[in-house]
Amino acid sequence: ISLDDSSLRDTLWEFQIELMECDVALPVAERISEVLRERLIGKKRKIGTSVEEIVREAFREIVDEIFIHSLDFDEFIEKTEKPILLVFIGVNGTGKTTTIAKIAKRLLDNDYTPILASGDTFRAGAEEQLREHAERLGIRVIAHRYGADPAAVIYDAVAHARARKADVVLADTSGRMHTNVNLMDQLRKICRVNTPDLVIFVDEAIAGNDAVERAMRFEREVGIDAHILTKVDADAKGGTALSVVYETKKPIAFFGTGQRYEDLKKFSKDWFLKQFLG
Amino acid sequence: KLGKSLREAIRKLARSGRVDEAVVNEVVRDIQRALLQSDVNVKQVMELSKRIKERALKEEPLKGMTAREHVLRVIYQELVNLIGKPAQIELKPQKILMVGLQGSGKTTTTAKLARYFQKRGLRTAVICADNFRPGAYEQLKQLAETHGIPFYGEKNEKNAVKIVKNALENMKEYEVKIIDTAGRHALEEELIEELKNINKVVNPDHKFLVLDAAIGQLAKEQAEAFHKAVGITGIIVTKLDGTAKGGGALSAISVTGAPVAFVGTGERIDDLERFDPDSFISRLLG
Ligand SMILES: Nc1nc2c(ncn2[C@@H]2O[C@H](COP(=O)(O)OP(=O)(O)OP(=O)(O)O)[C@@H](O)[C@H]2O)c(=O)[nH]1
Ligand SMILES: Nc1nc2c(ncn2[C@@H]2O[C@H](COP(=O)(O)OP(=O)(O)OP(=O)(O)O)[C@@H](O)[C@H]2O)c(=O)[nH]1
Ligand SMILES: [Mg+2]
Ligand SMILES: [Mg+2]
């Protein structure tokens, strides 16, 4: 039986709704639905297979294509000249500071020496939060006084890493809205002065359509090399990951799956498919 | 005060001159897309679209109203019904419990809210009941000290319920007491249990759900969990100074029955505004 427009239309609409209920951003869900239609119209359907099954199978292929951008974090750390500078950026409250601590632990477990740069010189308790993590992990923090220039703090941390032969500098920055011109300028300066090896955009897997807007804004205005999506354990459905990678074409390095140091999951397509499409 | 997509939709109606089904369908589809992009719950958007369409086609436009005014009125009314009125903020002695997901803005909003009551003549104190997050005690303490707000916390106490018991003992002289709690989500059973225990001990007059404007479809299930655990009496939507529209708040309103009290529009102490349904709706319709 050949798939025609009328047999596809309802199924694709239902499928698009399902995608949106899983936090796939509207424009991405619409685009996926269009691509599915383009690929399936006129295709032959075997007796016994439902249209839904065919759509799901075609969708799996699309997911494969979307997640073609990859970054093997461990390999990157191994092959890059030390000291490596990783700068973590994103809007407020997404999990940057906690994620830095998790990555520091991972590096320690792999016998690397990380040091932390307290680049959030603005928010109440930011330095204390980072220091507490550093203390628990037994690693060094470089910080200046409250209100200092974050670019200078990070610069200082890299110089320190070089002198002490530390492997990786994990630079924390304050959360900021992409709508705040001064803060975006500050971020550009941080990157210009320090030329990070990776700029990592940390956002929450539980954010909706705005995740795409902010990823694109940060990518356009500062440039990002990879994503980390946190709070997956809050029952996130995974659509945010799909939308964000679809738009930025940058890889997801990790998922944050909880508040403990071990709650950092390296991105894998199979894990994504199992986790979110069951 | 209309968002751009609504203006576009209404322009299409204006050209048609009468309430014709094809044009209404097109207008409803535009509204639907705007609401979905604003993170309103998908099922809720579909139900709303159906109601708007039925009313637009079946109801008689009021005397003297054009077709476009009629459809506009229906859309606006349906949204106003969903969003409800802003919460009444009583300037009297009360205990307020702040709850919500990790990173939603509870600690910052606790300080903002304390400043709000303080400016209006009420002796207000903030209490740190977050003994889990590194630096949580210092964060609230610094905010409080910077703005002359009395603070209570116990840096090394392992039991959050004990902290609030002691807090209420020690802060009796303060008329308004606002209790900041650690972030938690629906699947963290022990943390939800802890919250129920804190709630029992405090017996707050208000339980505010602090919700990030950017939250996606999860808003409904999370709001349900908090409502089931402690009974939400008010909602605060934060980070509206970004580009997020706060559509998740509509789910929170409908599952808790609670009104929106305030919105957070920045990181400073004064970046707290009373909720305004009209500007919220116009932002929602983008
Ligand atoms: N459940 C869960 N919570 C997380 C995860 N990652 C971070 N968090 C929590 O989210 C909250 C905010 O984390 P932070 O690390 O302070 O976030 P941030 O981006 O540094 O915040 P700002 O610096 O204020 O912008 C904390 O309560 C963290 O414990 C995660 O993967 N799962
Ligand atoms: N731009 C902006 N940032 C906000 C707003 N409200 C809070 N923030 C920021 O969001 C981040 C998280 O705020 P917190 O107050 O630490 O959030 P929380 O809910 O207490 O976090 P946990 O205790 O970890 O669950 C901080 O960087 C705040 O400054 C707001 O309305 N606008
Ligand atoms: Mg931080
Ligand atoms: Mg907090």
Side-chain angles (χ1 to χ4, degrees), chain A residues 30 128 178 209-210 235 259, chain B residues 33 39 102 142 221 243:
Chain A
E30 288 180 332
E128 288 82 348
H178 41 291
N209 281 258
D210 199 53
D235 204 19
Q259 298 183 253
Chain B
R33 294 189 72 250
D39 297 319
Q102 286 91 351
Q142 280 176 23
E221 96 184 51
T243 47

Side-chain angles (χ1 to χ4, degrees), chain A residues 90-100 102 120 123 126 129 133 172-176 202 204 229-234 255-260 263, chain B residues 101-104 106 108 130 132-134 139 182-185 188 267:
Chain A
V91 305
N92 306 77
T94 57
K96 299 175 290 302
T97 306
T98 308
T99 300
I100 282 172
K102 292 177 184 178
D120 181 350
R123 205 207 67 207
Q129 182 184 7
H133 280 302
D172 196 10
T173 64
S174 16
R176 70 202 64 219
V202 181
E204 351 178 69
L229 281 169
T230 63
K231 308 181 194 174
V232 164
D233 52 303
F255 283 115
T257 57
Q259 298 183 253
R260 302 165 312 181
D263 295 327
Chain B
L101 293 175
Q102 286 91 351
S104 63
K106 297 173 292 301
T108 310
D130 180 353
F132 173 79
R133 169 173 154 156
Q139 184 184 5
R184 66 203 73 215
H185 60 71
E188 292 170 315
E267 294 191 79

